[in-house]
Amino acid sequence: MVDGGKSEPSELQDHRMSASFQQLANFIWSVADLLRGPYRPPQYERVMLPLTVLRRFDAVLAPSKEAVLKRYEELKAKNIPNIDAILNNLAKDEEGNPLGFHNHSQLDFQKLKGDPDNIGRHLADYIAGFSENIRKIFERFEFDKEIEKLEESNRLYQVVAQFAEIDLHPRRVDNITMGLVFEDLIRRFNEAANETAGDHFTPREVIQLMVNLLLEPDTHVLTQAGVIVTVCDPACGTGGMLAEAQNWIRAHNDQATVKVFGQDYNPRSYAVAASDLLIKGHKDGQVVLGNTLTDDPFPDQRFDYLLANPPFGVDWKAEKKIIDRWPNFRGYSGKLPRINDGALLFLLYMMSKFQDYKAGDRDKPGSRTAIVFNGSPLFTGGAGSGESEIRRWIIERDQLEAIVALPEQMFYNTGIGTFIWVVTNRKAAHRRGKIQLIDARERYTPMKRSLGDKRRYLDQAALDAVTREHGAMENSKTSRVFDNADFGYRRITVLRPLRLRLEITEEARERFLNTCPELFDALQAVQDALGSEPLLDWNQAWDAVQQVFKTLPDDVEGWAKGAKGTAQKKIFRDCFTTVDPEAAPVIAKRHKKGDVSIGSELFPQQTLPPMDAGELYALLGLHPEGKALVEYEPDPALKDFENIPLKEDIVSYVLREVRPYVPDAWIDRATLDEQDGGIGKVGYEINFNRVFFQYQPPRPLHEIDAELAGVEQRILELLREVTQ
């Protein structure tokens, strides 16, 4: 693998920020103070973001502005329709490359500044002079409303005049710096609003690590001459991930053609990303406004690389009605996740955009994706749940390559732990059937000044270390490699017998007769026959009760027939029995031995340990009684569950982990259902804490005692000082 030059990390702290970026971001932010009064700080972005974009367009278009105006007048005189394509091709950057957009208004920021009395009308005319693709972007900004509001409050000219003084020409502010400015403004505005900045902004070093994990394994391909790469971010925000992926590829191969595609639900974020795409000259790329879960803007396209930071714990209730009508979700036909967390739906969408893969076939190159999740998608949901079924679908298709645990307090809107998943349908040969977990939770550097909830960052050394660990795929203190099946388990139900004591007490009699007064004489007959002493075998006691009822005289009413009689019997048991661990198990039913399947019929594809039929019967809750098998009634309060690793057979596990502690427990045969081949309900979860837990033995008692004695001595000395 070529260890090419890596893109530099974002300058998020004072010692990491370039002077030009910091000065520019601070200057634009200072202009926002002019809005104080008609706007509250959380609303500043409504003005500052579109004006920043507008000023950037103005600077980029300046070199070819005269040529565009001249050609526009010629086309206008000839009444030629659809002039956008002609003028978009005429508007060029300083290197002579068509920009893909234009402005045919006579105005620019300097001219706007020169006419304060008509600033509102002129600014609206200036925006109307852009090509259609730019006008659509400003419709999403809804900037016409802000122009009107600013003019009413006599702020419009002041703000425009300040922006006219900002030099955003590409010679002074390159595309990378401009992208950083956009993102810094987004972050600041969201912090001012106390909103979820993470919905729109991912820390630059997290993006860089994602890009490294995604692209480093393909360095040998991406450095080839004439390579064409497609990259998609279905939750692109302001386009930071797309920009970083481009930077990485260009740093390794400046001749590569990179086509970027994105989608976002937030209009202003979309507007910034779409503007940035146009400024950078990506005519073959596209950023679309829409809901990723329900609207696919690229139905016929597949991508080489995908990466995203979807909203954590996003509620998809509004989309459920639409999704429920589909035969499947993006090719996945299993159970979907809970309604209050649709994060895994974004991953399913991204996987649906994978190109087909066939080794050695250039037309089927496969795809790779990296996505940021919180901890929930790792382990939320038991076997059979939507989350577990999605994890199972991904892992059993051998498409989960690696997961990296990031430090806490890395994001601006949350301090919780986060994880990068790397998923691909073209694992390298040495990775097939394997999953790598990397623990980077302790590799952070504290920030001198927190930004929202972000108090830590990954420096370049940490990024390089994690990237190397991923490439090496070796077991170490912070990197572990597992078989796919290591994360799977069978969930079975373990039951224990219900043990009831029958005792006829005055309190119980009163409860029973309040409900069934017609059975007064019958109850008296039962009490005379059984007495008032506790009976520890419900089965014998119930047989005796039944015999008493059979001998009742004709003038004494017994059990009613049908549903009423069934209800009376249940009330009798509820009133006169209590659970007693010393009592005999309650028998539920009896089976003929030949009517119950055991052994290989019940445990297909599993090797059972040596044991006789009686032991196996008991393990299934069946106990020989002559020629019959007795099945006990389970106690609902003692019902429990066991998650048994896929690599271990059920019987051996229960004999080792359950029976020594609860000898009367048995496996609920109903949980060995047929849907998973008769081996119990299968689930998958990934528990980082269990994998990387390091046991710390407690200190020796003599050290603790000595420390306590020292504390007591100091307390006594302090007390003496007070009393003397």
Side-chain angles (χ1 to χ4, degrees):
M1 182 178 294
V2 178
D3 187 13
K6 297 181 175 62
S7 54
E8 291 297 322
S10 169
E11 313 301 329
L12 290 175
Q13 299 186 69
D14 291 345
H15 67 284
R16 300 169 72 204
M17 288 200 228
S18 67
S20 60
F21 161 70
Q22 194 172 15
Q23 291 172 0
L24 179 58
N26 290 341
F27 180 77
I28 294 175
W29 180 253
S30 70
V31 177
D33 286 337
L34 296 170
L35 303 177
R36 195 177 301 276
Y39 290 87
R40 294 181 294 105
Q43 300 172 326
Y44 289 173
E45 65 167 310
R46 300 178 185 177
V47 175
M48 302 305 294
L49 291 179
L51 275 178
T52 301
V53 172
L54 196 62
R55 183 67 183 96
R56 175 67 167 182
F57 284 161
D58 187 67
V60 170
L61 290 170
S64 59
K65 185 68 178 278
E66 290 186 10
V68 169
L69 290 177
K70 181 179 178 181
R71 184 62 173 150
Y72 171 70
E73 293 299 331
E74 294 173 356
L75 296 173
K76 184 179 178 182
K78 296 178 181 179
N79 292 320
I80 296 178
N82 302 323
I83 62 175
D84 269 11
I86 300 172
L87 297 180
N88 287 351
N89 194 53
L90 187 61
K92 298 179 180 180
D93 60 21
E94 291 192 321
E95 297 178 357
N97 301 312
L99 291 168
F101 62 94
H102 76 277
N103 184 291
H104 55 254
S105 169
Q106 296 287 339
L107 298 166
D108 58 23
F109 263 73
Q110 295 305 320
K111 291 179 181 178
L112 289 171
K113 182 181 176 182
D115 190 356
D117 295 334
N118 298 295
I119 184 66
R121 177 169 58 84
H122 285 170
L123 183 56
D125 290 344
Y126 176 62
I127 294 173
F130 277 101
S131 50
E132 184 181 8
N133 52 355
I134 302 299
R135 293 199 304 273
K136 285 184 177 180
I137 291 174
F138 275 86
E139 287 174 8
R140 298 304 179 185
F141 277 129
E142 296 183 339
F143 194 51
D144 54 335
K145 297 178 182 178
E146 309 310 326
I147 291 175
E148 183 178 343
K149 184 174 181 179
L150 285 167
E151 194 165 30
E152 288 177 355
S153 59
N154 294 320
R155 297 290 202 286
L156 182 58
Y157 178 76
Q158 299 177 56
V159 174
V160 171
Q162 287 292 317
F163 265 94
E165 300 302 318
I166 304 173
D167 185 359
L168 297 184
H169 194 281
R171 282 196 305 267
R172 173 163 171 76
V173 184
D174 61 24
N175 290 333
I176 295 175
T177 303
M178 196 69 235
L180 290 172
V181 171
F182 282 149
E183 292 167 359
D184 185 71
L185 292 173
I186 290 283
R187 176 188 59 76
R188 294 196 196 194
F189 288 129
N190 278 284
E191 285 180 353
N194 194 28
E195 295 178 352
T196 54
D199 284 352
H200 312 291
F201 183 72
T202 306
R204 178 65 61 173
E205 73 271 26
V206 174
I207 298 175
Q208 187 179 0
L209 179 57
M210 293 175 68
V211 170
N212 286 353
L213 298 173
L214 198 63
L215 303 181
E216 283 280 359
D218 292 346
T219 305
H220 61 289
V221 175
L222 296 173
T223 53
Q224 293 177 4
V227 66
I228 300 175
V229 185
T230 55
V231 184
C232 177
D233 181 350
C236 66
T238 57
M241 289 190 178
L242 296 174
E244 191 66 26
Q246 295 172 69
N247 295 342
W248 190 100
I249 295 171
R250 294 272 169 75
H252 289 73
N253 184 356
D254 58 5
Q255 300 301 313
T257 299
V258 184
K259 301 180 181 181
V260 296
F261 300 82
Q263 183 176 11
D264 202 82
Y265 192 60
N266 181 281
R268 288 188 174 84
S269 295
Y270 150 77
V272 172
S275 303
D276 189 47
L277 196 69
L278 287 170
I279 289 169
K280 294 177 179 178
H282 291 290
K283 294 180 292 182
D284 295 329
Q286 188 180 7
V287 174
V288 181
L289 178 68
N291 188 324
T292 305
L293 299 184
T294 57
D295 307 321
D296 184 359
F298 317 113
D300 300 321
Q301 290 177 270
R302 299 293 182 268
F303 305 102
D304 298 313
Y305 302 98
L306 300 101
L307 66 173
N309 173 21
F312 297 159
V314 61
D315 186 303
W316 58 285
K317 183 178 181 180
E319 294 82 8
K320 189 175 187 301
K321 290 183 179 179
I322 298 174
I323 293 173
D324 284 346
R325 293 198 294 265
W326 297 350
N328 57 65
F329 183 83
R330 312 300 185 189
Y332 166 78
S333 56
K335 192 173 181 180
L336 297 178
R338 294 164 302 147
I339 200 72
N340 61 349
D341 189 356
L344 282 167
L345 295 179
F346 284 89
L347 178 56
L348 291 177
Y349 170 83
M350 295 166 77
M351 294 175 68
S352 75
K353 294 300 179 183
F354 280 2
Q355 302 193 65
D356 292 336
Y357 173 71
K358 184 177 181 181
D361 190 338
R362 295 184 62 182
D363 295 327
K364 296 181 179 180
S367 303
R368 293 173 59 79
T369 185
I371 188 168
V372 179
F373 284 142
N374 60 10
S376 179
L378 287 172
F379 50 78
T380 297
S385 68
E387 291 85 351
S388 177
E389 286 298 288
I390 293 172
R391 290 191 292 267
R392 179 182 181 183
W393 187 74
I394 295 170
I395 292 173
E396 290 187 350
R397 285 155 55 98
D398 196 20
Q399 295 190 355
L400 180 57
E401 176 175 298
I403 299 178
V404 178
L406 298 175
E408 296 179 348
Q409 301 178 5
M410 283 285 292
F411 282 72
Y412 302 96
N413 65 319
T414 178
I416 63 174
T418 50
F419 301 81
I420 298 174
W421 290 38
V422 181
V423 181
T424 179
N425 64 348
R426 54 176 174 89
K427 281 187 179 180
H430 67 286
R431 288 187 177 272
R432 289 171 192 160
K434 305 290 183 181
I435 297 172
Q436 183 181 13
L437 302 185
I438 299 175
D439 186 4
R441 289 175 291 186
E442 300 301 322
R443 284 187 161 138
Y444 63 85
T445 299
M447 295 176 63
K448 295 179 180 178
R449 178 175 59 87
S450 63
L451 298 172
D453 288 322
K454 182 175 176 61
R455 298 177 178 85
R456 299 169 175 174
Y457 73 98
L458 295 173
D459 60 19
Q460 192 63 47
L463 295 177
D464 292 342
V466 174
T467 304
R468 283 195 300 269
E469 275 190 331
H470 175 252
M473 195 186 167
E474 296 174 348
N475 285 303
S476 66
K477 183 178 179 181
T478 54
S479 172
R480 297 287 303 279
V481 179
F482 297 89
D483 293 336
N484 290 346
D486 288 332
F487 300 105
Y489 63 89
R490 303 179 187 93
R491 184 173 178 83
I492 66 166
T493 304
V494 176
L495 303 176
R496 295 177 63 189
L498 177 65
R499 299 174 182 272
L500 294 179
R501 179 186 73 221
L502 186 144
E503 184 176 8
I504 300 176
T505 64
E506 287 303 317
E507 182 182 354
R509 279 176 55 91
E510 184 177 351
R511 288 200 308 271
F512 179 73
L513 293 174
N514 282 340
T515 307
C516 303
E518 69 277 7
L519 294 178
F520 177 85
D521 292 333
L523 176 61
Q524 189 61 49
V526 169
Q527 188 170 6
D528 291 342
L530 272 63
S532 299
E533 293 299 318
L535 301 176
L536 295 180
D537 190 329
W538 162 258
N539 308 296
Q540 293 180 3
W542 182 243
D543 288 343
V545 170
Q546 296 289 70
Q547 290 299 321
V548 170
F549 269 72
K550 289 180 181 179
T551 61
L552 291 175
D554 293 340
D555 59 341
V556 176
E557 188 173 355
W559 303 121
K561 294 182 180 180
K564 184 177 180 181
T566 302
Q568 289 174 337
K569 294 173 183 178
K570 182 180 184 304
I571 294 169
F572 181 91
R573 192 173 99 161
D574 290 344
C575 290
F576 295 111
T577 61
T578 54
V579 175
D580 187 336
E582 301 299 323
V586 175
I587 297 174
K589 61 181 74 171
R590 289 176 171 83
H591 305 273
K592 292 181 180 179
K593 288 186 178 180
D595 293 342
V596 181
S597 298
I598 63 171
S600 60
E601 297 178 16
L602 198 59
F603 300 94
Q605 301 177 350
Q606 293 198 48
T607 302
L608 301 181
M611 59 192 308
D612 60 37
E615 290 177 306
L616 188 54
Y617 275 129
L619 199 63
L620 297 171
L622 301 167
H623 303 274
E625 188 181 85
K627 294 182 179 181
L629 290 173
V630 172
E631 182 175 352
Y632 294 144
E633 181 178 343
D635 187 340
L638 299 179
K639 183 178 181 179
D640 204 354
F641 303 93
E642 289 288 335
N643 292 342
I644 302 175
L646 281 182
K647 289 185 172 181
E648 188 164 358
D649 72 85
I650 294 173
V651 172
S652 296
Y653 180 92
V654 173
L655 289 175
R656 186 184 72 249
E657 299 292 341
V658 179
R659 273 303 185 87
Y661 310 102
V662 278
D664 59 354
W666 75 86
I667 301 169
D668 182 6
R669 300 193 306 280
T671 63
L672 305 178
D673 55 59
E674 297 180 357
Q675 73 177 41
D676 282 316
I679 57 172
K681 190 172 289 185
V682 173
Y684 279 81
E685 67 176 17
I686 302 168
N687 193 321
F688 259 81
N689 290 331
R690 184 188 305 154
V691 169
F692 291 101
F693 173 75
Q694 295 183 3
Y695 174 71
Q696 299 291 337
R699 290 183 297 158
L701 285 176
H702 68 272
E703 289 186 9
I704 298 174
D705 290 340
E707 185 175 320
L708 290 174
V711 172
E712 290 177 1
Q713 184 62 34
R714 288 196 297 273
I715 292 174
L716 290 174
E717 292 174 357
L718 291 172
L719 288 174
R720 280 196 293 269
E721 291 179 6
V722 173
T723 56
Q724 288 177 356

